[in-house]
Each structure stands twice: as structure tokens, then as C-alpha cells.
Amino acid sequence: DVATFVSQITASCDVDIAGNFDVQSNAVVGGDLSVSGSSHFAGRVIETLTKTDVNAQNNTLAAAQIKAGIVIHTSETGGGTVTMDTASNIISGVPLTKDNQAVKCYYINDGDQDLTFANDAGNTTQVHDTGAILMSDEGVTLLFVRESNSAVRMYTLGGGAAD
């Protein structure tokens, strides 16, 4: 079954669709949109993200920052480390309710020092490309994927990340 909308729909609550979702005009959902099948959009998907600022050499990338969507990190006093939050915090805080669910976060280093991405202390959130570096004045898309109920893997996609 396919839920097809050819004109604007507006919902101020959560919307669950058990089949495919096809939007040919505008859809505004004030709560969560859950689609268990495919989602098809004729046009741009527009996200509302929140920017968080980090003005420090190092940062523990908290689940709340990941959920907000944009992190501006001003690294100034020397090369810094961006340590991942625990998988438990990311899974519950984003939330990621099923294995293989993913969330993107845009990470921008507007400082003059490079940043290195690192696993959390318990290695429950692992940086796929260990030692990935985000160079100064660059940005990267981070993709967090739930691998199990106790493990998350973070991938760096494009941007100014390097080995």
C-alpha cells in the first residue's frame, strides 16, 4: 500500500505509515514521521536543524549535539580531539530505536587547529576511520549508524576530513 498526497497535508502530531509514503506537494509534520516502507518526495526535503557552538580545544560530541544537527567547533589553542559520546547515550538521546538506523550531523571546524575524531572511552561508539582528522576551516558530514542495542559506528563523509 502507498499513502500518496498530491496536495499539502499538515499534522501537528506524530504520523505513522505502515506502507510507502509518496508526497507530491507539501507535507508538514509537527511530530515524528515514521514510515516502515519507502519514502518518496517530489522536491527538496528541508530540515530544521539547531546549531551548537563549541569554543574549546576538545569536545565530547554529545547525543544532544548530534540530534541538534550542526556543530561549530572553534579550535584555537592547539590540535584538539572530538571524542564520541557513548552508544547508550546516542541510541537513547537521538533516538535510534532499531539496528541500522542512522542520523547525520554536520561538523564544522572554524578554528585554526585540526581536530581528530576518537572513540568513546568504552569503545561503544567507534570512529570507522580511526584517527580521522578534520582540518582547520573545514566541515564534514558525520553519519552515526546503530549497529546493535549497545554499539554505534560513526563515519566521516566528504568535507575536510583526512587521515
Side-chain angles (χ1 to χ4, degrees), residues 70-94:
I70 302 171
V71 179
I72 309 292
H73 188 155
T74 306
S75 59
E76 296 177 346
T77 60
T81 301
V82 180
T83 304
M84 300 300 110
D85 202 344
T86 65
S88 176
N89 288 344
I90 294 169
I91 289 168
S92 64
V94 169

Side-chain angles (χ1 to χ4, degrees), residues 29-61:
V29 178
D32 292 333
L33 173 64
S34 176
V35 179
S36 62
S38 298
S39 301
H40 305 276
F41 299 93
R44 300 281 302 161
V45 174
I46 299 170
E47 298 178 272
T48 300
L49 304 174
T50 302
K51 179 183 73 166
T52 57
D53 282 308
V54 175
N55 294 308
Q57 181 177 6
N58 302 308
N59 181 35
T60 297
L61 183 54

Side-chain angles (χ1 to χ4, degrees), residues 87 90-91 96-103 123-128 143-155:
I90 294 169
I91 289 168
L96 298 173
T97 59
K98 297 177 184 169
D99 291 354
N100 299 313
Q101 283 186 332
V103 63
N123 291 316
T124 61
T125 301
Q126 295 196 348
V127 176
H128 181 73
L143 179 68
F144 293 84
V145 180
R146 175 182 157 155
E147 295 189 327
S148 71
N149 64 356
S150 61
V152 171
R153 185 166 301 268
M154 187 278 286
Y155 298 87

